[in-house]
Amino acid sequence: MTLSVSEPLPHWDMTVVYPALDSPEFNHDLTATRQAFDTMTSLFDRLGINRRDRQSTDDAAVAAFETVVPALNELLEQFSTLRAYVYSFVATDSRNDQAQATFSMLMREGVRLTKLLRRLTAWLGGLDVETLIQRSTIARDHAYLVRRAAEEARHLMSPAEEELAAELDLSSGIAWARMYQNLTSQILVPIEREGQTVELPMTQVRNLARDPDRAVRRSAHEAELAAWERAALPLASALNSIKGQVLTLSRRRRWASPLEASLFDNGIDRATLDAMMTTAREFFPDFRRYLRAKARLLGLERLAWYDLFAPVGSGGRSWRFSDAEAFIVAQFTRYSPRMGDFAARAFRERWIDAEPRTGKVGGAFCMSLRRDESRILLNHDPTADSMFTLAHELGHGYHNLNLAQQTMLNRDTPMTLAETASIFCETIVRNAALQDASRDETLEILEAFLSGACQVVVDITSRFLFETALFEQRATRDLSVAELCALMIDAQKQTYGDALDEQTLHPFMWAVKGHYYSSGFSFYNYPYMFGLLFGLGLYAAYQRAPDAFQVRYDDLLASTGLASPLELAARMGIDLRSPAFWRASLEVIRRDIDRFESLAAAA
């Protein structure tokens, strides 16, 4: 790979929202929003927005709904901007005590928001929601939310219990999740580099998995495992505590399991999940073919875990951040001027924080900031894979752009649909990069996609199996560090099979993946597979009929909070319960595996 000339990587600009965390403008809005919570709570009390078994859907009920919902949308808008603003400091520097303290205070306000939303849900459960929708324009505008609330209300505890659960979450699930994030973002890993022992942030050490030198990858892997082992005890405590809380609340809310609750949250049924997961397993032999072909390219009999992200090919281009920016804007514009203008604006207005540094969280994400504006975090390195990650996160931002026309309550998108635009945008950029690529560049681009697809199909399945087993065993007692590691190794063996050296698997992947550490979202894994395969299916539809696709696609993105994934997919001619749809998307990946294997054989 051609070495890149070092260039400064961007930090996002938050001064367009407030001058600083301690600015009068921020403190004014913070105080106003906290007062708005008081006002909203008083309004709920006055209008009797709380659980009632059955009640008349009369003029008073309609008037109460039409008073509460616009006010709640306005409060959500204010609060979400404040929370995103403060989190931007926490995510980029977990040692910022002022940001941590302010974020902690906002989480307390978030508990008040949770209470209000659960009160509204419980109250709607006592109404005839079809009559409400018929009589109220605002209810018709929020019909999907209203109907889901009536269904969810059947799984709520008593108002007092729900209020207590929300308050205790601050010192239980939320507290453990914050401890996980703060601890892991501050881990410094001793590692030998150029004859000297240095301490690097965990994000930089994990990035060494992409180093062309196998000795460097192995050294980084061993140093990473040792660092996770040193931190394992508090992380295991956090994981056990969070999963114990989820099990308790799921049982008290009369869900058959945390998975059943997760399926409801994600807007799909068990038939859809089973169709996707079963079909994915059919393609595991193809992913193992890819892994074996990669091993041959690297001159290995079999890949070790630390070879999963090793670069292949030689002489390919290095994607500096500025190169990635120009390429993404050009390809988004080729798809549609609207998407290109969006990407150019994101770079121009400094929405992106790309520099890896101590205290910054790992991975990548996009968060909505205000109206049609987002912020994107990643830890850039000069590879095609990192460019595709950037395109992926910009896709989330494009989704937010389309959702901006909706009310805040109607922007609530399930995880299953949250990856729709990101996968689509990543595919646009990847396919464009392949068009004029040399053989080595083609290998690198295919490798970037296939390594990611392998993670989302094969590794995600391992994470799903791990979490399923974790919940089953945590129902009776806490699990030790050794037991958690054993569950993870077993899940990796079930999915990767003999394509990886079983002596070099990653027993601490349960500590790496922050998605396990949320009391609000269990099974934060299979929605990523759904997103990848749904996004690929949509891209195939675009290729078949590009002229008719763009308006329908933007409408789909604007509607992800207005209907279930099953209904929205049906509008695009897709049956999510049919293995045929999932098979067609996986066939796209299989064709790339065939191409990769052919190039590897020629090499």
Side-chain angles (χ1 to χ4, degrees):
M1 176 179 288
T2 304
L3 294 177
S4 65
V5 177
S6 178
E7 64 175 350
L9 293 171
H11 294 192
W12 50 31
D13 179 17
M14 304 303 294
T15 61
V16 295
V17 186
Y18 299 105
L21 264 175
D22 56 0
S23 65
E25 296 88 342
F26 173 76
N27 285 317
H28 174 273
D29 284 3
L30 180 61
T31 300
T33 300
R34 298 181 72 183
Q35 291 172 346
F37 273 107
D38 294 335
T39 302
M40 184 65 66
T41 302
S42 298
L43 179 64
F44 270 53
D45 292 341
R46 178 167 59 83
L47 296 176
I49 307 295
N50 216 330
R51 182 168 194 148
R52 287 184 243 169
D53 289 335
R54 292 306 299 173
Q55 58 185 302
S56 173
T57 311
D58 54 16
D59 290 346
V62 172
F65 182 86
E66 294 194 332
T67 300
V68 162
V69 167
L72 193 55
N73 276 316
E74 183 178 347
L75 177 58
L76 279 166
E77 190 93 50
Q78 297 168 0
F79 179 71
S80 65
T81 296
L82 285 172
R83 182 170 54 188
Y85 176 77
V86 177
Y87 186 67
S88 73
F89 292 92
V90 174
T92 51
D93 182 8
S94 63
R95 294 187 170 109
N96 186 326
D97 291 338
Q98 181 186 7
Q100 290 282 14
T102 307
F103 193 69
S104 176
M105 185 269 292
L106 278 175
M107 289 302 94
R108 292 188 175 276
E109 299 302 320
V111 168
R112 300 177 73 186
L113 177 60
T114 298
K115 291 180 183 179
L116 291 170
L117 291 172
R118 286 181 184 160
R119 286 178 65 175
L120 179 62
T121 296
W123 179 72
L124 286 169
L127 294 174
D128 180 342
V129 294
E130 295 307 321
T131 298
L132 178 64
I133 290 168
Q134 183 180 13
R135 296 190 61 192
S136 167
T137 301
I138 294 176
R140 282 195 295 279
D141 291 341
H142 295 80
Y144 181 61
L145 176 146
V146 169
R147 291 186 175 110
R148 274 180 59 84
E151 185 177 351
E152 184 181 359
R154 297 198 294 270
H155 291 279
L156 290 181
M157 300 180 290
S158 70
E161 288 172 314
E162 287 293 349
E163 187 165 314
L164 179 62
E167 290 180 359
L168 287 177
D169 197 31
L170 271 178
S171 55
S172 50
I174 291 174
W176 283 115
R178 289 189 65 208
M179 188 215 74
Y180 168 83
Q181 185 177 87
N182 292 337
L183 191 157
T184 56
S185 67
Q186 295 181 25
I187 290 176
L188 292 175
V189 183
I191 185 171
E192 187 171 315
R193 299 286 285 161
E194 299 178 354
Q196 294 185 348
T197 299
V198 297
E199 289 190 329
L200 298 178
M202 180 63 80
T203 52
Q204 290 187 21
V205 172
R206 285 185 55 77
N207 275 347
L208 292 175
R210 293 175 169 79
D211 196 279
D213 187 335
R214 194 173 195 232
V216 171
R217 298 197 302 271
R218 182 175 61 247
S219 174
H221 177 73
E222 292 169 353
E224 180 197 344
L225 292 184
W228 287 123
E229 187 169 13
R230 288 190 294 273
L233 190 59
L235 297 182
S237 296
L239 189 59
N240 276 299
S241 298
I242 288 168
K243 297 311 180 190
Q245 177 182 335
V246 170
L247 282 162
T248 299
L249 291 176
S250 295
R251 184 172 62 252
R252 294 297 297 269
R253 289 175 177 144
R254 299 179 301 282
W255 293 108
S257 66
L259 178 58
E260 184 187 38
S262 169
L263 291 171
F264 177 81
D265 288 341
N266 282 294
I268 64 172
D269 55 18
R270 188 60 189 259
T272 300
L273 178 68
D274 288 346
M276 179 183 73
M277 298 293 285
T278 301
T279 307
R281 280 187 171 274
E282 295 175 12
F283 285 76
F284 279 10
D286 296 288
F287 284 100
R288 291 168 187 165
R289 275 197 300 123
Y290 149 68
L291 293 171
R292 292 189 189 100
K294 179 170 181 174
R296 289 193 297 272
L297 279 171
L298 295 172
L300 303 171
E301 182 178 341
R302 186 178 300 174
L303 294 180
W305 185 274
Y306 51 80
D307 298 317
L308 279 171
F309 302 107
V312 298
S314 60
R317 67 176 294 183
S318 177
W319 289 94
R320 299 190 311 163
F321 188 85
S322 56
D323 299 329
E325 173 184 346
F327 192 78
I328 288 171
V329 171
Q331 302 316 316
F332 279 19
T333 302
R334 179 179 293 179
Y335 167 77
S336 80
R338 183 170 185 258
M339 185 182 284
D341 289 344
F342 160 79
R345 178 188 174 198
F347 289 109
R348 182 177 65 251
E349 296 183 4
R350 293 173 54 201
W351 291 5
I352 300 163
D353 194 297
E355 183 192 35
R357 54 195 185 274
T358 303
K360 183 178 177 181
V361 300
F365 66 76
C366 173
M367 64 179 177
S368 176
L369 178 62
R370 55 181 182 175
R371 297 182 294 277
D372 61 352
E373 194 175 337
S374 299
R375 287 297 182 272
I376 291 164
L377 178 143
L378 71 153
N379 290 275
H380 178 78
D381 58 50
T383 63
D385 190 30
S386 191
M387 177 178 69
F388 300 149
T389 297
L390 179 55
H392 180 104
E393 299 305 333
L394 282 165
H396 284 302
Y398 186 70
H399 193 165
N400 292 337
L401 173 74
N402 284 280
L403 281 172
Q405 61 188 277
Q406 306 293 350
T407 67
M408 286 297 293
L409 287 169
N410 278 341
R411 293 181 208 173
D412 189 21
T413 293
M415 271 294 301
T416 37
L417 295 176
E419 294 297 307
T420 302
S422 55
I423 295 298
F424 190 88
C425 287
E426 182 181 343
T427 305
I428 288 173
V429 172
R430 183 182 67 253
N431 286 354
L434 280 169
Q435 286 180 0
D436 299 318
S438 67
R439 175 195 165 281
D440 278 337
E441 287 171 342
T442 298
L443 266 176
E444 290 178 8
I445 293 166
L446 287 174
E447 157 62 18
F449 170 62
L450 291 174
S451 65
C454 187
Q455 287 291 295
V456 173
V457 178
V458 179
D459 201 71
I460 282 292
T461 303
S462 77
R463 297 181 218 172
F464 178 82
L465 292 173
F466 169 82
E467 192 159 5
T468 300
L470 172 58
F471 272 124
E472 288 174 356
Q473 297 193 27
R474 180 60 185 83
T476 58
R477 62 176 176 81
D478 284 7
L479 279 75
S480 68
V481 169
E483 288 172 319
L484 292 171
C485 289
L487 286 182
M488 183 56 75
I489 291 293
D490 180 63
Q492 290 169 359
K493 287 180 178 179
Q494 287 186 59
T495 48
Y496 286 99
D498 61 0
L500 291 184
D501 179 356
E502 291 187 354
Q503 302 305 310
T504 65
L505 298 177
H506 199 311
F508 289 101
M509 195 52 64
W510 58 268
V512 175
K513 297 300 178 184
H515 292 164
Y516 293 124
Y517 296 81
S518 169
S519 57
F521 296 97
S522 299
F523 291 97
Y524 206 142
N525 36 59
Y526 69 81
Y528 281 97
M529 188 193 301
F530 184 106
L532 171 67
L533 301 180
F534 188 54
L536 290 176
L538 286 173
Y539 191 81
Y542 159 64
Q543 289 181 308
R544 288 192 297 270
D547 294 337
F549 181 84
Q550 291 178 9
V551 173
R552 292 171 63 215
Y553 177 66
D554 284 358
D555 181 64
L556 170 71
L557 296 180
S559 304
T560 51
L562 302 180
S564 72
L566 284 164
E567 181 183 338
L568 291 173
R571 294 180 192 175
M572 307 296 286
I574 294 170
D575 179 5
L576 294 178
R577 295 191 180 106
S578 169
F581 167 71
W582 304 108
R583 196 169 288 118
S585 292
L586 285 156
E587 286 286 357
V588 173
I589 302 174
R590 176 184 276 165
R591 288 194 292 272
D592 278 346
I593 291 174
D594 292 343
R595 186 178 180 187
F596 182 89
E597 191 176 38
S598 176
L599 288 169

